[in-house]
Amino acid sequence: MKPRFGKLTPRLVRFIRLYRAILTISGAICLLSLALYVPLYLVPHPSPLLEFLADIELKTLDTRFLLRGKRQPSEQIAIVAIDQKSEDVLGRWPFPRRYFADAVDFLREAGARVIAFDINFPQPDENSALVSLRQIKKEYAARKKQAGLDSQFEAELNRQVAEADNDQKLSDALSRYDNAILGYFFLPPTEAAKQNRERVSEFINYLSFQAYPQIIHPEYGKRFEGLEFSAISPNLPKFALYAKNFGYFNIIPDADGTVRREPVVARFEGNYYPSLDIAAALAYTNLSLDKVAVVFNPYGLERIDFGRVSIPTDPGGYVQIDFHGPSGTYPTYSLADVVMHKLAPAVFRNRLILIGPTAIGIPDTAVTPFQQMGFPGVEVHANFIDDILHGHFIRRGLRENLIDLFFIVLFSLGAGTLLTVVSSQRATIVLVVILGFFLWLTFALFATYRIWIAVFLPTATLTVNYAAIISYRFFFEERERKKIRGAFQQYLPPGLINQLLEHPELLQLG
């Protein structure tokens, strides 16, 4: 074995000397790609150029969704939609809350396991009839001392006030149901001054008991770069009193306007709060709060421990959503049909029901990998709840980063070495084969295992490396070949000249 290694070393040295220019090109491309990888995939990139390059990678993810196609959604989830039919039947949005009370009662009787609202109720439902009746009641209370008590009139007046009080009806319906999740959303800081502080404070008194109970390594929370708010759009206390839990339904799109991920943690007044999807899944699985924990590491948020399920997050608390298809993938029923009892109760039995808007006139739609417009926000939540319940998450973490780096090195140094020893014509075939295999592999890993491997930068590394090597060989090596062929064609046979062109190191004096 020793003599064999002794022979390899001089050959390797000759190879490096002969092709040092090409290997230098591949090495420079490798270093440049590694330098670009960090701001593109690991840290925020405020530069417009880097933002543009990052958007290309996101588009490759969208393409993988489209190529993979629709997946079968969970039968555990259904949507009750505030749709165009609901507006036609129940009236213009926002509806009187008695309709939501009717829906809650019907779904409770139908055996729905959880009802989650992708809307909130921050203001009283002050309809004109209720305002008039309360004014009459107030005047009657002031006069009855003088005019005497008319018990029949008073009973009828109280009955009509109760009939017109839509908020009380919804509150009563929620009191009869144990698993209602009320949604709310966080507001920009500029909205804080416009709010009813007393009402907000009352809601926060209920909300504070539903924050994430366990924070692992809270000292690292100072490096949390996720969502942090100082203003909130609450629910009325009379509704919050009967809710099992609360969850914010803010949807944050990527820089290009497409929704691909969800923030599962938001910080508000020093506490960490769950999204509507986390809260709904928690209620559906009947998981106790002590089984849920937010885990930080020195770089930010690491994961959410959700019972036996580990929800992988990026340092900012975002999780990639595994969308199951375009809008309409999940069974959707009109709120009007629920209110009018036109559906069989069995449709909702033992299901998690999301109530939210889908009508075009109500601004709650998103752009997703499957759909460029009109994707209902409530269905974004349905997709992610499905992911949580089944532990299906798109993986994009340290393991995937290492795989990316491996391919960058392979496509620069490794491919560069290979492209130096094959002819220019074969180099093109090598490029096509390697690139085709790589693209197939990244798609297969995504479609089968939900692993997101970077496509753009490794592909760009391989392509630029190929173009640079072929250009160098064309402008420099071909020129040398012509010089050698012209010098020896009168003295040597063509076969020997070709051998000399393939192995110029054989050329020696004498």
Side-chain angles (χ1 to χ4, degrees), residues 185-304:
F185 65 94
F186 290 111
L187 297 169
T190 53
E191 298 295 320
K194 306 174 186 178
Q195 294 186 284
N196 183 322
R197 294 307 307 170
E198 182 179 351
R199 190 175 296 155
V200 170
S201 297
E202 285 187 84
F203 177 66
I204 292 175
N205 288 337
Y206 293 103
L207 181 66
S208 59
F209 289 100
Q210 304 299 337
Y212 280 111
Q214 296 187 71
I215 310 298
I216 310 299
H217 303 304
E219 66 274 14
Y220 297 136
K222 297 177 182 179
R223 302 181 185 180
F224 177 63
E225 297 179 354
L227 297 180
E228 184 162 8
F229 297 95
S230 58
I232 190 172
S233 178
N235 285 285
L236 294 178
K238 68 190 317 177
F239 304 143
L241 174 64
Y242 298 111
K244 179 167 186 176
N245 203 343
F246 311 93
Y248 61 86
F249 49 78
N250 297 65
I251 294 178
I252 311 296
D254 288 325
D256 63 350
T258 302
V259 174
R260 301 182 182 89
R261 54 186 187 157
E262 175 178 305
V264 293
V265 175
R267 187 157 55 190
F268 177 71
E269 295 192 351
N271 290 323
Y272 297 94
Y273 289 96
S275 65
L276 178 68
D277 304 342
I278 294 287
L282 186 68
Y284 189 82
T285 56
N286 201 27
L287 197 65
S288 61
L289 284 175
D290 61 349
K291 301 295 184 182
V292 181
V294 176
V295 182
F296 284 98
N297 63 28
Y299 305 101
L301 193 63
E302 178 181 336
R303 68 181 189 274
I304 304 294

Side-chain angles (χ1 to χ4, degrees), residues 196-433:
N196 183 322
R197 294 307 307 170
E198 182 179 351
R199 190 175 296 155
V200 170
S201 297
E202 285 187 84
F203 177 66
I204 292 175
N205 288 337
Y206 293 103
L207 181 66
S208 59
F209 289 100
Q210 304 299 337
Y212 280 111
Q214 296 187 71
I215 310 298
I216 310 299
H217 303 304
E219 66 274 14
Y220 297 136
K222 297 177 182 179
R223 302 181 185 180
F224 177 63
E225 297 179 354
L227 297 180
E228 184 162 8
F229 297 95
S230 58
I232 190 172
S233 178
N235 285 285
L236 294 178
K238 68 190 317 177
F239 304 143
L241 174 64
Y242 298 111
K244 179 167 186 176
N245 203 343
F246 311 93
Y248 61 86
F249 49 78
N250 297 65
I251 294 178
I252 311 296
D254 288 325
D256 63 350
T258 302
V259 174
R260 301 182 182 89
R261 54 186 187 157
E262 175 178 305
V264 293
V265 175
R267 187 157 55 190
F268 177 71
E269 295 192 351
N271 290 323
Y272 297 94
Y273 289 96
S275 65
L276 178 68
D277 304 342
I278 294 287
L282 186 68
Y284 189 82
T285 56
N286 201 27
L287 197 65
S288 61
L289 284 175
D290 61 349
K291 301 295 184 182
V292 181
V294 176
V295 182
F296 284 98
N297 63 28
Y299 305 101
L301 193 63
E302 178 181 336
R303 68 181 189 274
I304 304 294
D305 286 336
F306 191 88
R308 296 183 178 180
V309 176
S310 179
I311 303 176
T313 71
D314 65 13
Y318 288 87
V319 182
Q320 297 294 327
I321 303 173
D322 182 15
F323 286 96
H324 290 71
S327 62
T329 297
Y330 288 84
T332 302
Y333 307 94
S334 174
L335 177 66
D337 290 338
V338 174
V339 171
M340 305 298 290
H341 295 194
K342 291 185 176 181
L343 297 167
V347 168
F348 303 103
R349 186 167 296 122
N350 209 34
R351 276 181 159 178
L352 190 158
I353 309 300
L354 282 159
I355 299 179
T358 63
I360 296 175
I362 305 175
D364 186 28
T365 59
V367 176
T368 69
F370 276 105
Q371 198 163 317
Q372 290 301 304
M373 60 182 298
F375 193 97
V378 66
E379 199 157 351
V380 173
H381 297 298
N383 276 275
F384 192 61
I385 291 173
D386 197 340
D387 296 344
I388 297 171
L389 293 180
H390 296 91
H392 294 162
F393 303 105
I394 296 175
R395 304 288 174 173
R396 181 70 189 156
L398 178 61
R399 177 186 60 182
E400 289 71 31
N401 296 146
L402 293 175
I403 295 175
D404 294 345
L405 296 174
F406 166 77
F407 278 113
I408 288 173
V409 174
L410 180 66
F411 289 168
S412 53
L413 300 180
T417 302
L418 179 60
L419 293 173
T420 60
V421 298
V422 298
S423 64
S424 299
Q425 294 78 7
R426 290 180 179 177
T428 302
I429 297 174
V430 169
L431 171 71
V432 172
V433 170

